[in-house]
Amino acid sequence: MVFDCGVWCAKYLLCIFNFIFFVLGTIIFGVGLWLAVDKHSLIALLKLAESERIEQFTQPQVIEQLAYVLLVIGAVMFFMSFLGYLGAMRESRCLLSTVSEQIKFGSWPAGLAAFYKDKVRAESKNFLQTTITSYSLGENVDATSLMWNQLMGNFGCCGINDYRDFEASPAWVSGKGNRTIPEACCILKDVAKLVPRDEDCATNPSDSNSFYKKGCYEVFTEWLIAQRELIIVAIVVGIVHLVLIILAFALCKAFAKYNDMRL
């Protein structure tokens, strides 16, 4: 098939983009598969680091959940990039149309977020409320609980709106003992170990020894808005998606025009 320079560049640029995502997807899927099959090897490696902060990630439940997330992300990237690469190389209008529609489907939430900020805030708050219902302590800690501990310990906050949000978690209610709040809600002298500055903080919280009335939702939202780097990354990702869509549709049109000329 003979094309002009623009179509030739579009074809191989699309191939390069998809090949990069194909390799990344394969690596992510491979790491996820390794963690799912042999999580104990990673636990042993992490323990060699002798870091108190890293030790929090050596819980088998946390690694297992991370493995499933990586498997899904890697599989989606692998499948979509393979279709895009194959569609460009084989000059298949069907495959290119499928890939471009999938890219648009994956990109529209970011576009809606820019126009419906209040709705996105409300839905984000609902999501956080559902995750806090599985918050737990001790040996039963999972990735969700670890996320909450890190969020509260580093941002100086407690729950979604305040400490009462944890009452929605059956695991917290049954395992909290005489605690009123998790240690992560306290003013900490050691963030890595979640050690409160005041030993009585978890059982007798106050404004002077904890953040029990300060919700994480507003604190985290304000921090997120202030992160210009994240906004720039989101814009770059959106531009890459837009370029891939334009390239895919341009190739589809070029292939259709060529086929019509042959008839």
Side-chain angles (χ1 to χ4, degrees):
M1 184 181 289
V2 180
F3 293 126
D4 59 25
C5 181
V7 175
W8 185 89
C9 290
K11 174 181 176 179
Y12 286 99
L13 188 59
L14 188 61
C15 288
I16 292 172
F17 271 121
N18 281 288
F19 180 75
I20 293 173
F21 283 111
F22 176 82
V23 173
L24 291 176
T26 303
I27 294 174
I28 293 173
F29 185 84
V31 172
L33 187 62
W34 170 55
L35 294 181
V37 174
D38 189 19
K39 63 176 72 70
H40 297 290
S41 295
L42 179 63
I43 293 176
L45 289 174
L46 292 177
K47 287 184 177 179
L48 289 176
E50 297 182 353
S51 172
E52 296 171 349
R53 185 175 292 273
I54 292 178
E55 284 182 4
Q56 300 178 62
F57 297 91
T58 59
Q59 295 290 337
Q61 300 94 325
V62 174
I63 296 177
E64 184 175 1
Q65 292 171 357
L66 176 62
Y68 292 144
V69 172
L70 292 178
L71 284 172
V72 172
I73 294 175
V76 171
M77 290 181 63
F78 178 92
F79 180 71
M80 294 307 303
S81 58
F82 177 75
L83 288 182
Y85 183 85
L86 186 64
M89 291 300 296
R90 299 291 296 177
E91 299 167 359
S92 171
R93 293 171 59 193
C94 179
L95 287 177
L96 289 173
S97 298
T98 301
V99 171
S100 60
E101 291 298 327
Q102 291 297 324
I103 294 174
K104 286 195 297 182
F105 177 78
S107 303
W108 72 264
L112 288 179
F115 292 100
Y116 300 100
K117 293 182 180 179
D118 293 338
K119 180 65 174 177
V120 171
R121 285 173 178 265
E123 292 300 326
S124 299
K125 197 168 188 177
N126 290 336
F127 171 75
L128 292 175
Q129 194 66 61
T130 59
T131 60
I132 206 171
T133 57
S134 60
Y135 182 83
S136 58
L137 296 170
E139 297 180 356
N140 296 322
V141 66
D142 57 7
T144 302
S145 304
L146 183 61
M147 176 201 74
W148 272 107
N149 286 338
Q150 290 297 312
L151 179 65
M152 295 185 295
N154 286 283
F155 284 87
C157 55
C158 189
I160 307 287
N161 302 300
D162 57 33
Y163 71 100
R164 291 170 294 185
D165 294 320
F166 290 103
E167 296 302 318
S169 170
W172 161 256
V173 173
S174 62
K176 68 178 182 178
N178 61 347
R179 295 183 182 87
T180 302
I181 61 173
E183 283 78 359
C185 290
C186 298
I187 297 176
L188 303 173
K189 66 178 180 181
D190 190 332
V191 177
K193 291 183 178 181
L194 300 178
V195 178
R197 189 175 63 187
D198 183 353
E199 295 181 356
D200 297 326
C201 170
T203 57
N204 188 25
S206 65
D207 292 332
S208 61
N209 64 10
S210 71
F211 305 100
Y212 76 122
K213 292 182 179 179
K214 187 178 181 181
C216 291
Y217 173 71
E218 292 297 334
V219 174
F220 182 71
T221 301
E222 292 174 2
W223 174 85
L224 192 61
I225 293 174
Q227 303 307 302
R228 295 181 179 179
E229 295 82 1
L230 294 178
I231 297 175
I232 293 174
V233 170
I235 293 174
V236 171
V237 171
I239 292 174
V240 171
H241 280 168
L242 181 60
V243 169
L244 292 177
I245 293 172
I246 293 174
L247 290 177
F249 276 120
L251 287 178
C252 285
K253 186 175 181 180
F255 296 157
K257 182 178 179 180
Y258 176 81
N259 291 333
D260 291 339
M261 293 173 60
R262 295 179 56 186
L263 297 177

